[in-house]
Amino acid sequence: MSLSILAVDDSRTMRDMIRLALQPAGFTVHTADDGLHGIDVLDGITPDAIITDINMPRMDGFGFIDAVREQEQHRATPILVLTTEAAPELKARARAAGATGWIVKPFDPAKLVKALQMVAG
């Protein structure tokens, strides 16, 4: 079963690392370089899960999660936050916005694959 993922991160290197971690495991990876771009990309796809960074220009991860959750068709789509941030208050804020989980960078590719299979499979 091929799962479709939207990865939203302002770092090209991080988007590439996510793609390199997920494609060999059979995932289809769509990418966006910030929250606003993520909303645009989301318009044309129905991902099984979304990965988002928190600190991004134009629209940060919290704004992006809010915008995704406002869309009926994406209310239940799992959203994993992938960020360098580890503060409990930020995790609580992300959960309140509708995030499903939190992974701190740098990430272990095998763990990311497993987490996505758990939430999206």
Side-chain angles (χ1 to χ4, degrees):
M1 169 179 83
S2 175
L3 293 173
S4 172
I5 304 298
L6 172 59
V8 183
D9 198 303
D10 58 318
S11 161
R12 178 187 298 274
T13 303
M14 190 52 61
R15 292 192 306 269
D16 290 346
M17 287 173 62
I18 292 168
R19 184 181 286 115
L20 287 170
L22 300 181
Q23 281 181 333
F27 289 88
T28 300
V29 182
H30 304 273
T31 59
D33 51 28
D34 64 27
L36 286 177
H37 186 213
I39 295 301
D40 289 345
V41 173
L42 202 52
D43 240 6
I45 62 171
T46 306
D48 295 294
I50 297 169
I51 299 168
T52 185
D53 188 14
I54 290 296
N55 299 314
M56 298 181 287
R58 296 199 313 155
M59 179 189 279
D60 70 5
F62 298 117
F64 175 69
I65 293 169
D66 287 339
V68 170
R69 291 299 183 228
E70 285 170 9
Q71 298 181 25
E72 187 63 43
Q73 69 273 32
H74 301 300
R75 283 238 166 87
T77 305
I79 300 175
L80 292 180
V81 174
L82 181 64
T83 182
T84 54
E85 303 286 349
E89 60 273 14
L90 291 177
K91 288 182 185 180
R93 187 174 160 199
R95 246 187 233 104
T100 312
W102 189 280
I103 298 171
V104 177
K105 296 175 187 173
F107 66 93
D108 174 334
K111 285 186 179 158
L112 181 62
V113 167
K114 194 169 190 160
L116 285 166
Q117 287 168 335
M118 281 173 49
V119 299

